[in-house]
Amino acid sequence: MAKAETIILDKAGIDRAITRVAHEILEYNKGCVDLALIGIRTGGDHLASLLQSRINKIEEIEVPLGAVDITMYRDDLAARGSKPIGKTEIPFPLDGKHVVLVDDVLYTGRTIRSAMDALMDFGRPSTIQLAVLIDRGHRELPIRSDYVGRNVPTAREEDVVVVFDENQNPVEVKLVKP
Amino acid sequence: MSFTHKHILGIEQLAKEDIKLILDTADAFKEVNSREIKKVPTLRGKTIINAFFEASTRTRLSFEIAGKRLSADTVNISGSTSSVVKGETLEDTAKNIEAMSPDIIVIRHGHSGSPHYLAERVGCSVINAGDGTHEHPSQALLDLMTMREHKGSIEGLEVAIVGDIAHSRVVRSNIYALSKMGARVRLCGPGTMLPIGIERLGNVEVCTDMREAIKDADVVMMLRIQMERQSNIMIPSLREYARFYGLNPTNLLLAKPDAIVMHPGPMNRGVEISSVVADGVQNVILDQVENGVAVRMALLYLVSGVESMQTK
């Protein structure tokens, strides 16, 4: 039997959400002085690069972009075994930066915890902010997002999937029921 | 694909996909070694015992640094300072180590097959760091990582390995690894140092003329004359050996112009490799050492995942 799927956001909806989040980031940080975007692999890194080009369109400034892979910082090696490790690329110093972490779906908050630990190993950012495309609730840690594309109430059994095309552009967001 | 090997006893047991996964994981871990804070919490709370019953500087240091950079606790024991000198058997030593519940034992031993013997008798993971004249898997993996870095891909490479083939565990692991990844291996050495039938281990060609072996090679790997394993009785003199089987700027010209020169260390300068070549632009010997840490981090990480899944 095919699983029941609902489309939460289509391509245009994702686009609008990213534009709004880009404006919110600029408004909150009063421009992009010392701003940096770091996406969490995989998914968040593609969204971070979209945010970068959107900010570039608005302010005509290229903010530094990085990607972090959190596999080395996970707390569930025993439960899930050794996952393949992706590359972490932060080609600029983090000290004094206002870092916006970017992820596709915020769920338990454990990924964000790992990502923050990873960032701390690279330097001492002034602030770390969090931007996500979807916040689906069910936090297990005291973590919240600063910028949200869409809040989606979900059940734990459900799954939220962000679909990317071959050019790593987000196409749609689906809620998959078990 | 996921990794399923609890022990790393040799390259012989690994599939092509396993080797690729190890190399990709090592690539990712290499970045950690260039950070200001060279430590990640991946293996926090794991205990790794480095049991080295045979002399080693590079490999032991490399495994120890790899473990520490992953936040594991690493403890070393060496043959000369352990109860082995009091006559304890390997099995008893292992049982005693196991009673202190380590997660991984990294073993180097002068007898071929010791890690396999151990793996059947202890509950934790075992990693072979060199057993007699049999295998030295982590060395072959770091060699492959270095070749891939410099040549882009391993498939189709012509790799010449010159020296004491008979006593070399590095050769056996490299034959398995290179053959599985689609490279061709040419082995070369004096007849006394070429075991009969070694070509059956993989995609191997054997010859006794060094010029023939390194002609148009992409990689020239020189092996050490192993004084401690009586290599010297197999050759008339070191001078003669250096003349016929030593790598020097002249015979290196026979290899491809962009060929890389490798050596697993420790080098006997002036014997199997001249100093001009060892320090020349084509040498990647220190890259091998650097990649060694990343490869060993990958091995420790991958076996830990399998080990913790099973004990859970």
Side-chain angles (χ1 to χ4, degrees), chain B residues 187-245:
Chain B
L187 300 179
C188 176
T192 47
M193 292 178 168
L194 285 170
I196 291 164
I198 187 129
E199 65 280 356
R200 288 201 297 261
L201 292 186
N203 194 359
V204 176
E205 226 179 285
V206 180
C207 65
T208 51
D209 185 342
M210 181 171 174
R211 288 164 304 185
E212 194 186 315
I214 59 179
K215 181 134 184 26
D216 296 323
D218 297 288
V219 178
V220 182
M221 189 186 295
M222 301 308 295
L223 299 175
R224 182 172 61 97
I225 285 293
Q226 306 192 28
M227 308 295 182
E228 80 278 17
R229 292 194 220 281
Q230 280 80 43
S231 291
N232 47 340
I233 60 164
M234 301 172 129
I235 49 173
S237 75
L238 287 179
R239 262 182 79 180
E240 188 181 314
Y241 181 83
R243 186 159 163 214
F244 289 101
Y245 296 100

Side-chain angles (χ1 to χ4, degrees), chain A residues 28 44 49 57:
Chain A
Y28 181 85
S49 110
K57 232 182 236 170

Side-chain angles (χ1 to χ4, degrees), chain B residues 33-190:
Chain B
N33 297 324
S34 58
R35 292 185 191 175
E36 205 173 312
I37 300 174
K38 302 176 192 58
K39 203 177 184 82
V40 289
T42 320
L43 297 186
R44 214 153 39 101
K46 302 269 178 203
T47 305
I48 300 170
I49 311 261
N50 291 323
F52 279 66
F53 299 102
E54 203 186 56
S56 163
T57 318
R58 236 169 313 271
T59 309
R60 202 191 63 194
L61 194 60
S62 189
F63 265 111
E64 191 176 351
I65 290 176
K68 285 189 160 47
R69 293 211 173 141
L70 292 172
S71 301
D73 298 302
T74 56
V75 190
N76 296 322
I77 41 179
S78 61
S80 55
T81 58
S82 71
S83 302
V84 176
V85 290
K86 298 181 189 163
E88 192 174 52
T89 63
L90 179 62
E91 180 163 4
D92 282 335
T93 307
K95 289 282 179 211
N96 279 280
I97 294 174
E98 205 195 5
M100 301 183 220
S101 36
D103 299 282
I104 303 173
I105 298 178
V106 178
I107 179 176
R108 162 164 299 189
H109 202 286
H111 290 169
S112 304
S114 319
H116 310 66
Y117 179 87
L118 206 63
E120 287 171 10
R121 284 164 179 80
V122 295
C124 63
S125 286
V126 176
I127 296 181
N128 180 1
D131 62 328
T133 58
H134 177 227
E135 276 224 51
H136 191 348
S138 61
Q139 176 70 40
L141 291 163
L142 71 89
D143 289 339
L144 263 67
M145 180 176 175
T146 309
M147 289 180 210
R148 198 169 76 160
E149 236 171 46
H150 286 272
K151 296 287 165 196
S153 151
I154 294 161
E155 192 160 357
L157 288 183
E158 294 282 347
V159 182
I161 308 181
V162 185
D164 184 356
I165 308 294
H167 286 121
S168 176
R169 52 193 174 214
V170 176
V171 159
R172 285 168 185 71
S173 288
N174 261 301
I175 292 174
Y176 288 127
L178 288 166
S179 302
K180 286 179 188 192
M181 301 305 282
R184 276 184 298 276
V185 184
R186 308 169 185 171
L187 300 179
C188 176

